[in-house]
Amino acid sequence: MSEMIDIRSDTVTQPTREMLAAMLQAQVGDDVFGEDPTVNALQEKAADLFGKEAALFCPSGTMSNQIGIKVHTQPGDEVICDELAHVYLYEGGGIAANSGASVRLLKGRNGRFTAEQVRENINRRDDSHQPWTRLVAIENTVNKGGGCCWDLREIERIRGVCLEHDIAMHLDGARLFNALVARDESPRDYGRLFDTISVCLSKGLGAPAGSLLLGSRALLAKAHRQRKLLGGGMRQAGYLAAAGLFALEHNVDRLREDHAKAKVLERELRTLPYVAAILPVETNIVIFTLAEGLSTDAFLQQLQSQQVRASGMGQQTVRFVFHLDVSDAQLDSLLQALRNVRLPA
């Protein structure tokens, strides 16, 4: 039987031998006491990379996002984000549960809104009937937007609006390194614009777990407290941090390979009769809509029978995500599997 091709998400990657070797060689201590040298090294490296004062290692991107929102808000405040935002759709209602904040949803273009939309949706602080707008949250790349990237100039304009109205900015950068590689941008381009940034190590970068929250020392002191409240303090976390360090040092530039495979798939999908529409492909995510007559479940079952695992996103929509464990040979097998899919009689 051929090897299963798993393109459900870039979270399914396995540590490479080299990453495992780095993990086994890690020096560790008790991170809750701040004594794990490898965690400290990872935090210092990430903070320096983005030009921020401090960083905090967290178990997951959901936790780093939720802590980031919490340190900027009080119960009764409001967070502005796009209607497709991961922090709103896929984090268990955490904005309400953890921060007690309401959400103002914007209808952007594939998850990207404009500075003018932000300006039009800020609540006046002299009106006691309204929640205070305290935070704007941006996701880059946008998962549900097909891995699309933000225009840095638009983020700069949003930053200007936020500074004018004393509103903080948080970046859900779960796949930010994909955007940096695709747009040839620098981490410091984002470090200067956002008050807090969350970046994942366990997606395209290939680490088994872990995310980082970056910001000022004052904000990260609050974040450390929130991580404790959420049960996110780990002890000898240096073994995981070593994987994160390896990922930052070795797995960023190779993201171009994932992007290239996604473009090959996009071109193939445009030739297939059962594909109705495809979101523009910029990075490693491909989202497309099936034609009427072929349900998502039936399509995924046909792929499964050919050793391909993918994800449905409802309403005739399918997502493929490329990562370091998808080889060129597997891409060829995937293309053939797609050509073998048949519409119901």
Side-chain angles (χ1 to χ4, degrees), residues 189-253:
D189 291 335
Y190 287 83
R192 65 184 173 85
L193 295 173
F194 289 89
D195 299 282
T196 49
I197 297 174
S198 167
V199 291
C200 281
L201 302 167
S202 62
K203 292 187 171 67
L205 296 186
S211 291
L212 290 153
L213 182 67
L214 306 108
S216 68
R217 289 191 184 89
L219 284 172
L220 267 291
K222 294 180 180 179
H224 198 279
R225 166 68 174 156
Q226 293 303 319
R227 189 184 72 172
K228 183 64 177 178
L229 286 174
L230 292 172
M234 298 180 286
R235 298 297 178 173
Q236 287 71 40
Y239 296 113
L240 289 174
L245 276 169
F246 184 93
L248 289 176
E249 292 166 357
H250 297 92
N251 289 349
V252 174
D253 287 343

Side-chain angles (χ1 to χ4, degrees), residues 220-285:
L220 267 291
K222 294 180 180 179
H224 198 279
R225 166 68 174 156
Q226 293 303 319
R227 189 184 72 172
K228 183 64 177 178
L229 286 174
L230 292 172
M234 298 180 286
R235 298 297 178 173
Q236 287 71 40
Y239 296 113
L240 289 174
L245 276 169
F246 184 93
L248 289 176
E249 292 166 357
H250 297 92
N251 289 349
V252 174
D253 287 343
R254 64 144 306 280
L255 292 171
R256 300 179 196 279
E257 301 172 24
D258 302 337
H259 300 174
K261 288 184 176 72
K263 293 299 290 185
V264 170
L265 175 61
E266 179 187 27
R267 290 192 292 271
E268 180 68 27
L269 289 173
R270 294 194 185 283
T271 71
L272 299 174
Y274 55 80
V275 175
I278 311 167
L279 288 181
V281 174
E282 290 189 74
T283 54
N284 65 322
I285 297 177

Side-chain angles (χ1 to χ4, degrees), residues 27-44:
Q27 291 183 301
V28 298
D30 191 321
D31 181 50
V32 174
F33 294 146
E35 295 175 355
D36 190 301
T38 309
V39 171
N40 292 340
L42 172 62
Q43 292 174 163
E44 290 165 8

Side-chain angles (χ1 to χ4, degrees), residues 140-170:
N140 196 22
T141 66
V142 185
N143 172 27
K144 205 166 182 183
C148 64
C149 306
W150 278 72
D151 182 342
L152 191 63
R153 292 167 296 180
E154 192 62 45
I155 297 177
E156 290 171 343
R157 288 188 280 270
I158 293 171
R159 180 64 172 176
V161 173
C162 288
L163 288 173
E164 181 183 342
H165 292 272
D166 188 28
I167 297 169
M169 288 180 63
H170 173 73

